[in-house]
Amino acid sequence: EEIRITSISLKDGLSLDPAIQVCVEMEHLRSLAVSCVSPKEVQQQQQAQQQATGTNATTTNVTTTTTTTPQQHIISQEVLLELCQSSTTLQDLALRAMRLDDETCQTIAEALITNSFLTSLDIRQNPSIGNVGYKAILGSLERNYDLWCSVMVDNDSFQAKFNALIELNQANRGDLVRSPTREKLATFLERLNGTGEDPTSLWYFLTIHDSILHPLVGFLKWKSERERRQVQAEEQERQQLQEQREEEEMEPKKRAAVIQEEQLDDGGNKRLKTVTTISTTSSS
């Protein structure tokens, strides 16, 4: 089942907890997308209202002041945590323009440590999220090898890291980190190279799994030596084939030529005389 709740405009003091709680209790919820009216849209609405009221103020000067109140979470931390942990069928979660901040991201990160079913998380259009929040989610995904979750954010630097994690998981980094072997390293690098020539994912992998550096260096040395020996064997085989062809070309000149000549014996009868010659003429 898919649930979409979009363009919400809540009054102060209200939250979406009751609606989200219903979604948590759904047995077959696969996709949930919730979004509120963006801050830009709110600003445009406020400006439109101010302009509308300003048309009647022809003789009175009106000074408009904007007051700021502490940002209220549209979904409480408790309900959000329950959603990300308890809804085991939920695969796609979009929380765009939902007033998310670093604290909210830390709650999501807590759930992602043990989550094994979420495949997509969209938290764009939440300007209050900073490096702290992005790092929290990234850290959870770095530790959770079994979660292949595409995360969409507004920060290009963190977006590149989230994308790299997906490539690493597709290359089966979890199996490699748990028990690094030569065969697993070969498979991992082959799959990683298949995604493109950009080494960003590999360098990022080594920064978060430095314990693999020594086995990787050993594997690369072994691979280089194996390739060197293979090239050497191919060169020897090529030389042998070349020598064999040259020998075959010289063979007709070395064969024994048998010539039969007719001669008369003392009784006047014909007899055959076999003359064998060996050619020693060179090819020049």
Side-chain angles (χ1 to χ4, degrees):
E1 298 180 6
E2 297 184 7
I3 303 294
R4 293 185 178 275
I5 309 173
T6 60
S7 300
I8 302 171
S9 181
L10 293 177
K11 295 182 179 180
D12 292 340
L14 297 180
S15 73
L16 284 179
D17 282 359
I20 301 301
Q21 192 66 53
V22 172
C23 295
V24 173
E25 297 172 357
M26 296 178 64
E27 295 182 356
H28 304 290
L29 178 64
R30 187 188 67 82
S31 177
L32 175 61
V34 187
S35 64
C36 289
V37 179
S38 66
K40 183 177 180 181
E41 293 173 335
V42 172
Q43 185 179 10
Q44 291 174 348
Q45 292 176 1
Q46 291 176 349
Q47 291 176 351
Q49 292 175 357
Q50 290 173 1
Q51 292 175 357
T53 57
T55 56
N56 298 326
T58 58
T59 59
T60 306
N61 294 327
V62 179
T63 303
T64 303
T65 59
T66 302
T67 59
T68 58
T69 58
Q71 177 170 290
Q72 175 191 356
H73 292 143
I74 299 177
I75 303 176
S76 67
Q77 310 292 348
E78 295 77 15
V79 173
L80 183 59
L81 182 63
E82 185 178 3
L83 173 67
C84 296
Q85 286 184 334
S86 303
S87 185
T88 56
T89 60
L90 180 62
Q91 297 179 2
D92 304 321
L93 177 60
L95 301 172
R96 302 181 68 167
M98 288 291 291
R99 302 180 191 170
L100 303 185
D101 55 15
D102 291 341
E103 184 180 359
T104 310
C105 288
Q106 290 171 344
T107 299
I108 296 175
E110 181 181 350
L112 292 180
I113 294 177
T114 56
N115 188 295
S116 61
F117 44 84
L118 196 63
T119 60
S120 175
L121 175 64
D122 188 351
I123 54 176
R124 289 174 291 184
Q125 298 179 353
N126 290 285
S128 295
I129 300 178
N131 291 344
V132 174
Y134 290 136
K135 286 181 180 179
I137 295 178
L138 187 64
S140 295
L141 294 179
E142 288 175 353
R143 295 192 296 272
N144 191 347
Y145 311 138
D146 300 320
L147 182 61
W148 295 18
C149 181
S150 299
V151 182
M152 287 155 280
V153 299
D154 291 322
N155 186 296
D156 293 339
S157 177
F158 280 97
Q159 186 64 71
K161 293 181 179 180
F162 286 126
N163 294 342
L165 271 179
I166 288 295
E167 293 182 12
L168 294 175
N169 286 343
Q170 290 174 344
N172 206 3
R173 71 171 176 120
D175 190 30
L176 174 61
V177 172
R178 292 187 183 97
S179 56
T181 63
R182 182 179 296 174
E183 292 76 12
K184 291 179 181 179
L185 277 166
T187 302
F188 176 78
L189 293 177
E190 181 180 357
R191 291 177 178 176
L192 204 58
N193 291 335
T195 61
E197 300 298 330
D198 187 2
T200 303
S201 296
L202 179 59
W203 291 122
Y204 177 51
F205 172 79
L206 293 176
T207 61
I208 61 178
H209 301 296
D210 55 357
S211 61
I212 303 298
L213 181 59
H214 181 70
L216 178 62
V217 171
F219 167 76
L220 293 177
K221 289 181 178 180
W222 169 82
K223 182 181 178 182
S224 177
E225 178 64 19
R226 187 186 65 173
E227 291 176 349
R228 186 189 66 81
R229 292 181 180 180
Q230 183 177 359
V231 171
Q232 186 178 15
E234 291 175 353
E235 179 64 20
Q236 291 177 351
E237 183 179 0
R238 188 190 66 80
Q239 291 179 356
Q240 291 176 355
L241 291 175
Q242 181 66 21
E243 293 175 357
Q244 183 178 354
R245 283 195 296 267
E246 292 177 355
E247 185 176 350
E248 290 175 353
E249 292 175 357
M250 293 292 295
E251 186 65 22
K253 299 179 180 181
K254 295 181 179 180
R255 285 199 304 245
V258 178
I259 302 175
Q260 290 185 335
E261 297 179 350
E262 289 186 352
Q263 292 183 347
L264 296 176
D265 58 11
D266 296 338
N269 297 320
K270 292 182 178 181
R271 65 182 181 84
L272 293 177
K273 180 180 179 182
T274 301
V275 179
T276 303
T277 60
I278 303 296
S279 174
T280 58
T281 306
S282 64
S283 60
S284 61

Short mmCIF file of all heavy atoms in Angstrom, two decimals, residues 13-73:
data_model
loop_
_atom_site.label_atom_id
_atom_site.label_comp_id
_atom_site.label_asym_id
_atom_site.label_seq_id
_atom_site.Cartn_x
_atom_site.Cartn_y
_atom_site.Cartn_z
N GLY A 13 0.97 24.09 17.26
CA GLY A 13 0.54 23.19 18.32
C GLY A 13 0.01 21.87 17.82
O GLY A 13 -0.21 20.95 18.61
N LEU A 14 -0.21 21.73 16.51
CA LEU A 14 -0.71 20.47 15.96
C LEU A 14 0.44 19.67 15.36
O LEU A 14 1.46 20.21 14.96
CB LEU A 14 -1.77 20.76 14.89
CG LEU A 14 -3.03 21.48 15.35
CD1 LEU A 14 -3.98 21.69 14.18
CD2 LEU A 14 -3.73 20.71 16.47
N SER A 15 0.25 18.37 15.28
CA SER A 15 1.25 17.48 14.69
C SER A 15 0.56 16.39 13.89
O SER A 15 -0.66 16.21 13.96
CB SER A 15 2.12 16.85 15.79
OG SER A 15 1.40 15.86 16.49
N LEU A 16 1.36 15.66 13.17
CA LEU A 16 0.84 14.55 12.36
C LEU A 16 0.95 13.21 13.07
O LEU A 16 0.77 12.17 12.44
CB LEU A 16 1.61 14.48 11.03
CG LEU A 16 1.25 15.52 9.97
CD1 LEU A 16 2.13 15.33 8.75
CD2 LEU A 16 -0.22 15.44 9.59
N ASP A 17 1.25 13.23 14.34
CA ASP A 17 1.43 11.97 15.08
C ASP A 17 0.25 11.01 14.94
O ASP A 17 0.46 9.81 14.70
CB ASP A 17 1.70 12.27 16.55
CG ASP A 17 3.14 12.72 16.78
OD1 ASP A 17 3.90 12.79 15.79
OD2 ASP A 17 3.50 13.00 17.94
N PRO A 18 -0.99 11.46 15.07
CA PRO A 18 -2.11 10.51 14.94
C PRO A 18 -2.15 9.83 13.57
O PRO A 18 -2.36 8.62 13.47
CB PRO A 18 -3.35 11.38 15.17
CG PRO A 18 -2.85 12.52 16.00
CD PRO A 18 -1.47 12.79 15.50
N ALA A 19 -1.92 10.61 12.51
CA ALA A 19 -1.94 10.03 11.16
C ALA A 19 -0.78 9.06 10.95
O ALA A 19 -0.95 7.98 10.36
CB ALA A 19 -1.91 11.14 10.11
N ILE A 20 0.41 9.44 11.43
CA ILE A 20 1.58 8.57 11.27
C ILE A 20 1.42 7.30 12.10
O ILE A 20 1.84 6.21 11.68
CB ILE A 20 2.86 9.32 11.66
CG1 ILE A 20 3.04 10.57 10.78
CG2 ILE A 20 4.07 8.41 11.54
CD1 ILE A 20 3.11 10.27 9.30
N GLN A 21 0.78 7.43 13.26
CA GLN A 21 0.55 6.26 14.10
C GLN A 21 -0.33 5.25 13.39
O GLN A 21 -0.12 4.03 13.50
CB GLN A 21 -0.09 6.69 15.42
CG GLN A 21 -0.10 5.60 16.49
CD GLN A 21 1.30 5.25 16.96
OE1 GLN A 21 2.06 6.12 17.35
NE2 GLN A 21 1.63 3.96 16.93
N VAL A 22 -1.30 5.74 12.64
CA VAL A 22 -2.15 4.84 11.85
C VAL A 22 -1.33 4.12 10.80
O VAL A 22 -1.49 2.92 10.55
CB VAL A 22 -3.31 5.63 11.20
CG1 VAL A 22 -4.09 4.73 10.23
CG2 VAL A 22 -4.25 6.18 12.25
N CYS A 23 -0.41 4.85 10.17
CA CYS A 23 0.46 4.23 9.16
C CYS A 23 1.35 3.16 9.76
O CYS A 23 1.62 2.12 9.14
CB CYS A 23 1.31 5.30 8.48
SG CYS A 23 0.38 6.51 7.53
N VAL A 24 1.83 3.40 10.98
CA VAL A 24 2.67 2.42 11.66
C VAL A 24 1.93 1.10 11.85
O VAL A 24 2.51 0.01 11.73
CB VAL A 24 3.16 2.97 13.01
CG1 VAL A 24 3.89 1.88 13.81
CG2 VAL A 24 4.08 4.16 12.81
N GLU A 25 0.66 1.19 12.13
CA GLU A 25 -0.14 0.01 12.42
C GLU A 25 -0.61 -0.72 11.16
O GLU A 25 -1.18 -1.81 11.26
CB GLU A 25 -1.35 0.41 13.26
CG GLU A 25 -0.95 0.97 14.64
CD GLU A 25 -2.13 1.54 15.39
OE1 GLU A 25 -3.26 1.55 14.82
OE2 GLU A 25 -1.95 2.00 16.54
N MET A 26 -0.37 -0.15 9.98
CA MET A 26 -0.76 -0.81 8.74
C MET A 26 0.16 -1.99 8.47
O MET A 26 1.38 -1.88 8.60
CB MET A 26 -0.73 0.19 7.58
CG MET A 26 -1.72 1.32 7.72
SD MET A 26 -1.63 2.55 6.38
CE MET A 26 -2.11 1.54 5.00
N GLU A 27 -0.41 -3.11 8.07
CA GLU A 27 0.37 -4.34 7.92
C GLU A 27 1.12 -4.40 6.59
O GLU A 27 2.11 -5.12 6.48
CB GLU A 27 -0.54 -5.55 8.05
CG GLU A 27 -1.16 -5.72 9.44
CD GLU A 27 -2.01 -6.96 9.54
OE1 GLU A 27 -2.18 -7.64 8.49
OE2 GLU A 27 -2.50 -7.26 10.65
N HIS A 28 0.63 -3.70 5.58
CA HIS A 28 1.24 -3.83 4.26
C HIS A 28 1.64 -2.48 3.68
O HIS A 28 1.59 -2.27 2.47
CB HIS A 28 0.25 -4.52 3.29
CG HIS A 28 -0.21 -5.86 3.78
ND1 HIS A 28 0.61 -6.96 3.83
CD2 HIS A 28 -1.43 -6.26 4.27
CE1 HIS A 28 -0.07 -8.00 4.31
NE2 HIS A 28 -1.30 -7.60 4.58
N LEU A 29 2.08 -1.58 4.52
CA LEU A 29 2.51 -0.27 4.06
C LEU A 29 3.88 -0.39 3.39
O LEU A 29 4.85 -0.81 4.01
CB LEU A 29 2.59 0.71 5.23
CG LEU A 29 3.07 2.12 4.88
CD1 LEU A 29 2.10 2.80 3.94
CD2 LEU A 29 3.25 2.96 6.16
N ARG A 30 3.95 -0.02 2.11
CA ARG A 30 5.21 -0.11 1.38
C ARG A 30 5.84 1.26 1.14
O ARG A 30 7.06 1.41 1.17
CB ARG A 30 4.98 -0.79 0.01
CG ARG A 30 6.26 -1.08 -0.75
CD ARG A 30 5.97 -1.57 -2.15
NE ARG A 30 5.36 -0.51 -2.95
CZ ARG A 30 6.04 0.46 -3.57
NH1 ARG A 30 7.36 0.51 -3.45
NH2 ARG A 30 5.43 1.38 -4.28
N SER A 31 5.01 2.28 0.92
CA SER A 31 5.52 3.60 0.61
C SER A 31 4.74 4.67 1.36
O SER A 31 3.51 4.63 1.41
CB SER A 31 5.43 3.86 -0.91
OG SER A 31 5.86 5.16 -1.22
N LEU A 32 5.49 5.60 1.96
CA LEU A 32 4.87 6.71 2.68
C LEU A 32 5.57 8.01 2.29
O LEU A 32 6.78 8.14 2.44
CB LEU A 32 4.97 6.50 4.19
CG LEU A 32 4.45 7.66 5.06
CD1 LEU A 32 2.96 7.90 4.81
CD2 LEU A 32 4.70 7.38 6.54
N ALA A 33 4.80 8.95 1.76
CA ALA A 33 5.32 10.26 1.36
C ALA A 33 4.52 11.34 2.06
O ALA A 33 3.30 11.42 1.87
CB ALA A 33 5.25 10.43 -0.15
N VAL A 34 5.20 12.15 2.88
CA VAL A 34 4.54 13.21 3.63
C VAL A 34 5.31 14.50 3.37
O VAL A 34 6.54 14.53 3.44
CB VAL A 34 4.53 12.91 5.14
CG1 VAL A 34 3.69 13.95 5.87
CG2 VAL A 34 3.99 11.51 5.41
N SER A 35 4.59 15.55 3.07
CA SER A 35 5.25 16.84 2.83
C SER A 35 4.31 17.97 3.25
O SER A 35 3.09 17.87 3.09
CB SER A 35 5.63 17.01 1.36
OG SER A 35 4.48 17.05 0.54
N CYS A 36 4.90 18.99 3.79
CA CYS A 36 4.14 20.19 4.17
C CYS A 36 4.39 21.29 3.16
O CYS A 36 5.23 21.17 2.27
CB CYS A 36 4.55 20.66 5.57
SG CYS A 36 3.98 19.56 6.88
N VAL A 37 3.65 22.37 3.33
CA VAL A 37 3.89 23.54 2.51
C VAL A 37 5.30 24.05 2.82
O VAL A 37 5.67 24.22 3.98
CB VAL A 37 2.84 24.63 2.80
CG1 VAL A 37 3.12 25.87 1.95
CG2 VAL A 37 1.44 24.10 2.52
N SER A 38 6.10 24.25 1.80
CA SER A 38 7.49 24.66 1.99
C SER A 38 7.57 26.06 2.58
O SER A 38 6.64 26.86 2.43
CB SER A 38 8.24 24.61 0.66
OG SER A 38 7.72 25.59 -0.22
N PRO A 39 8.67 26.39 3.26
CA PRO A 39 8.84 27.75 3.81
C PRO A 39 8.71 28.83 2.74
O PRO A 39 8.19 29.91 3.01
CB PRO A 39 10.25 27.71 4.40
CG PRO A 39 10.49 26.27 4.72
CD PRO A 39 9.77 25.50 3.66
N LYS A 40 9.16 28.54 1.53
CA LYS A 40 9.04 29.53 0.45
C LYS A 40 7.58 29.78 0.11
O LYS A 40 7.16 30.93 -0.10
CB LYS A 40 9.80 29.04 -0.78
CG LYS A 40 9.81 30.03 -1.93
CD LYS A 40 10.64 29.49 -3.09
CE LYS A 40 10.65 30.49 -4.24
NZ LYS A 40 11.44 30.00 -5.39
N GLU A 41 6.82 28.70 0.08
CA GLU A 41 5.39 28.86 -0.21
C GLU A 41 4.69 29.60 0.91
O GLU A 41 3.78 30.40 0.68
CB GLU A 41 4.75 27.48 -0.44
CG GLU A 41 5.24 26.79 -1.71
CD GLU A 41 4.71 25.37 -1.81
OE1 GLU A 41 4.41 24.76 -0.76
OE2 GLU A 41 4.62 24.86 -2.94
N VAL A 42 5.08 29.32 2.14
CA VAL A 42 4.49 30.04 3.28
C VAL A 42 4.79 31.53 3.18
O VAL A 42 3.92 32.38 3.41
CB VAL A 42 5.02 29.46 4.61
CG1 VAL A 42 4.57 30.33 5.78
CG2 VAL A 42 4.54 28.03 4.79
N GLN A 43 6.04 31.86 2.83
CA GLN A 43 6.42 33.25 2.69
C GLN A 43 5.62 33.94 1.59
O GLN A 43 5.18 35.08 1.74
CB GLN A 43 7.92 33.35 2.41
CG GLN A 43 8.44 34.78 2.37
CD GLN A 43 9.94 34.82 2.11
OE1 GLN A 43 10.54 33.80 1.79
NE2 GLN A 43 10.52 35.99 2.24
N GLN A 44 5.43 33.24 0.49
CA GLN A 44 4.64 33.81 -0.60
C GLN A 44 3.20 34.04 -0.18
O GLN A 44 2.59 35.06 -0.55
CB GLN A 44 4.71 32.87 -1.82
CG GLN A 44 6.07 32.81 -2.47
CD GLN A 44 6.14 31.77 -3.58
OE1 GLN A 44 5.23 30.95 -3.74
NE2 GLN A 44 7.21 31.81 -4.37
N GLN A 45 2.63 33.12 0.60
CA GLN A 45 1.27 33.30 1.08
C GLN A 45 1.17 34.48 2.02
O GLN A 45 0.22 35.27 1.96
CB GLN A 45 0.79 32.02 1.78
CG GLN A 45 0.61 30.83 0.84
CD GLN A 45 0.23 29.56 1.59
OE1 GLN A 45 0.10 29.56 2.82
NE2 GLN A 45 0.07 28.47 0.85
N GLN A 46 2.18 34.63 2.90
CA GLN A 46 2.17 35.76 3.83
C GLN A 46 2.29 37.08 3.08
O GLN A 46 1.60 38.06 3.41
CB GLN A 46 3.31 35.60 4.84
CG GLN A 46 3.11 34.46 5.82
CD GLN A 46 4.31 34.28 6.73
OE1 GLN A 46 5.37 34.86 6.50
NE2 GLN A 46 4.14 33.48 7.78
N GLN A 47 3.14 37.12 2.07
CA GLN A 47 3.28 38.34 1.29
C GLN A 47 2.00 38.68 0.55
O GLN A 47 1.61 39.85 0.45
CB GLN A 47 4.44 38.19 0.30
CG GLN A 47 5.82 38.14 0.95
CD GLN A 47 6.92 37.89 -0.05
OE1 GLN A 47 6.67 37.59 -1.22
NE2 GLN A 47 8.17 38.02 0.40
N ALA A 48 1.33 37.65 0.04
CA ALA A 48 0.07 37.89 -0.65
C ALA A 48 -0.98 38.45 0.31
O ALA A 48 -1.75 39.34 -0.05
CB ALA A 48 -0.42 36.59 -1.29
N GLN A 49 -1.02 37.91 1.54
CA GLN A 49 -1.97 38.41 2.53
C GLN A 49 -1.65 39.85 2.92
O GLN A 49 -2.55 40.68 3.08
CB GLN A 49 -1.95 37.50 3.76
CG GLN A 49 -2.52 36.11 3.51
CD GLN A 49 -2.39 35.21 4.72
OE1 GLN A 49 -1.82 35.61 5.74
NE2 GLN A 49 -2.91 33.99 4.62
N GLN A 50 -0.37 40.15 3.08
CA GLN A 50 0.03 41.51 3.44
C GLN A 50 -0.34 42.50 2.34
O GLN A 50 -0.80 43.61 2.60
CB GLN A 50 1.53 41.56 3.71
CG GLN A 50 1.94 40.84 4.99
CD GLN A 50 3.44 40.77 5.16
OE1 GLN A 50 4.17 41.29 4.32
NE2 GLN A 50 3.89 40.16 6.24
N GLN A 51 -0.15 42.09 1.10
CA GLN A 51 -0.51 42.96 0.00
C GLN A 51 -2.02 43.17 -0.07
O GLN A 51 -2.49 44.26 -0.39
CB GLN A 51 0.00 42.38 -1.32
CG GLN A 51 1.53 42.39 -1.44
CD GLN A 51 2.00 41.69 -2.70
OE1 GLN A 51 1.19 41.15 -3.46
NE2 GLN A 51 3.31 41.71 -2.92
N ALA A 52 -2.76 42.11 0.23
CA ALA A 52 -4.22 42.22 0.19
C ALA A 52 -4.73 43.16 1.27
O ALA A 52 -5.63 43.98 1.04
CB ALA A 52 -4.85 40.84 0.35
N THR A 53 -4.16 43.07 2.48
CA THR A 53 -4.60 43.96 3.56
C THR A 53 -4.06 45.36 3.37
O THR A 53 -4.65 46.34 3.84
CB THR A 53 -4.14 43.41 4.91
OG1 THR A 53 -2.71 43.25 4.89
CG2 THR A 53 -4.80 42.08 5.21
N GLY A 54 -2.94 45.49 2.68
CA GLY A 54 -2.32 46.80 2.48
C GLY A 54 -3.11 47.68 1.54
O GLY A 54 -2.98 48.91 1.58
N THR A 55 -3.96 47.13 0.72
CA THR A 55 -4.74 47.94 -0.22
C THR A 55 -5.78 48.79 0.48
O THR A 55 -6.20 49.83 -0.04
CB THR A 55 -5.45 47.02 -1.22
OG1 THR A 55 -6.25 46.07 -0.50
CG2 THR A 55 -4.43 46.28 -2.07
N ASN A 56 -6.22 48.39 1.67
CA ASN A 56 -7.23 49.15 2.40
C ASN A 56 -6.62 50.20 3.32
O ASN A 56 -7.31 51.07 3.83
CB ASN A 56 -8.12 48.22 3.24
CG ASN A 56 -8.89 47.24 2.36
OD1 ASN A 56 -9.28 47.61 1.25
ND2 ASN A 56 -9.09 46.03 2.85
N ALA A 57 -5.33 50.12 3.56
CA ALA A 57 -4.68 51.06 4.49
C ALA A 57 -4.17 52.26 3.71
O ALA A 57 -2.99 52.40 3.45
CB ALA A 57 -3.54 50.37 5.24
N THR A 58 -5.10 53.13 3.33
CA THR A 58 -4.74 54.30 2.51
C THR A 58 -4.33 55.49 3.35
O THR A 58 -3.54 56.31 2.91
CB THR A 58 -5.92 54.68 1.61
OG1 THR A 58 -7.06 54.95 2.43
CG2 THR A 58 -6.22 53.56 0.63
N THR A 59 -4.86 55.60 4.57
CA THR A 59 -4.57 56.80 5.39
C THR A 59 -3.80 56.46 6.65
O THR A 59 -3.40 57.36 7.37
CB THR A 59 -5.88 57.49 5.79
OG1 THR A 59 -6.69 56.58 6.52
CG2 THR A 59 -6.62 57.96 4.55
N THR A 60 -3.62 55.20 6.91
CA THR A 60 -2.96 54.80 8.15
C THR A 60 -1.68 54.07 7.82
O THR A 60 -1.66 53.16 6.99
CB THR A 60 -3.88 53.89 9.00
OG1 THR A 60 -5.11 54.55 9.21
CG2 THR A 60 -3.22 53.52 10.31
N ASN A 61 -0.59 54.48 8.45
CA ASN A 61 0.69 53.78 8.28
C ASN A 61 0.73 52.57 9.19
O ASN A 61 0.56 52.69 10.40
CB ASN A 61 1.85 54.71 8.60
CG ASN A 61 1.96 55.85 7.61
OD1 ASN A 61 1.64 55.68 6.43
ND2 ASN A 61 2.38 57.02 8.09
N VAL A 62 0.95 51.40 8.61
CA VAL A 62 0.96 50.15 9.37
C VAL A 62 2.36 49.56 9.32
O VAL A 62 2.95 49.41 8.23
CB VAL A 62 -0.05 49.13 8.80
CG1 VAL A 62 0.01 47.83 9.59
CG2 VAL A 62 -1.44 49.73 8.82
N THR A 63 2.90 49.27 10.47
CA THR A 63 4.22 48.64 10.56
C THR A 63 4.04 47.16 10.85
O THR A 63 3.41 46.79 11.85
CB THR A 63 5.08 49.28 11.67
OG1 THR A 63 5.19 50.67 11.39
CG2 THR A 63 6.44 48.64 11.73
N THR A 64 4.58 46.31 9.96
CA THR A 64 4.42 44.87 10.10
C THR A 64 5.70 44.28 10.67
O THR A 64 6.79 44.53 10.14
CB THR A 64 4.11 44.20 8.75
OG1 THR A 64 2.93 44.81 8.22
CG2 THR A 64 3.88 42.72 8.92
N THR A 65 5.58 43.51 11.71
CA THR A 65 6.74 42.85 12.31
C THR A 65 6.54 41.35 12.24
O THR A 65 5.41 40.86 12.34
CB THR A 65 6.94 43.27 13.78
OG1 THR A 65 5.77 42.93 14.50
CG2 THR A 65 7.19 44.76 13.87
N THR A 66 7.63 40.64 12.05
CA THR A 66 7.58 39.18 11.97
C THR A 66 8.19 38.61 13.23
O THR A 66 9.34 38.91 13.57
CB THR A 66 8.37 38.67 10.74
OG1 THR A 66 7.80 39.27 9.56
CG2 THR A 66 8.29 37.17 10.63
N THR A 67 7.44 37.78 13.90
CA THR A 67 7.92 37.14 15.12
C THR A 67 8.29 35.71 14.81
O THR A 67 7.62 35.03 14.03
CB THR A 67 6.84 37.17 16.21
OG1 THR A 67 5.68 36.49 15.72
CG2 THR A 67 6.47 38.60 16.55
N THR A 68 9.35 35.25 15.40
CA THR A 68 9.80 33.88 15.20
C THR A 68 9.54 33.07 16.46
O THR A 68 9.78 33.54 17.56
CB THR A 68 11.31 33.85 14.87
OG1 THR A 68 12.02 34.45 15.95
CG2 THR A 68 11.59 34.62 13.59
N THR A 69 9.04 31.89 16.25
CA THR A 69 8.79 30.97 17.35
C THR A 69 9.66 29.74 17.16
O THR A 69 10.04 29.40 16.03
CB THR A 69 7.31 30.55 17.39
OG1 THR A 69 6.97 29.96 16.12
CG2 THR A 69 6.42 31.75 17.63
N PRO A 70 9.97 29.04 18.24
CA PRO A 70 10.78 27.84 18.11
C PRO A 70 10.12 26.85 17.14
O PRO A 70 8.92 26.66 17.17
CB PRO A 70 10.82 27.29 19.55
CG PRO A 70 10.57 28.48 20.42
CD PRO A 70 9.64 29.35 19.65
N GLN A 71 10.94 26.25 16.28
CA GLN A 71 10.42 25.33 15.29
C GLN A 71 9.82 24.10 15.97
O GLN A 71 10.44 23.46 16.80
CB GLN A 71 11.52 24.92 14.32
CG GLN A 71 11.06 23.91 13.29
CD GLN A 71 12.10 23.71 12.22
OE1 GLN A 71 12.34 24.58 11.40
NE2 GLN A 71 12.73 22.57 12.22
N GLN A 72 8.62 23.78 15.58
CA GLN A 72 7.93 22.62 16.15
C GLN A 72 8.05 21.45 15.19
O GLN A 72 7.88 21.60 13.98
CB GLN A 72 6.45 22.96 16.37
CG GLN A 72 5.61 21.77 16.84
CD GLN A 72 4.13 22.08 16.79
OE1 GLN A 72 3.75 23.21 16.46
NE2 GLN A 72 3.31 21.10 17.10
N HIS A 73 8.35 20.28 15.73
CA HIS A 73 8.42 19.09 14.92
C HIS A 73 7.01 18.65 14.52
O HIS A 73 6.14 18.50 15.37
CB HIS A 73 9.12 17.96 15.67
CG HIS A 73 10.58 18.22 15.89
ND1 HIS A 73 11.23 17.84 17.04
CD2 HIS A 73 11.50 18.84 15.12
CE1 HIS A 73 12.51 18.20 16.96
NE2 HIS A 73 12.69 18.82 15.81
#
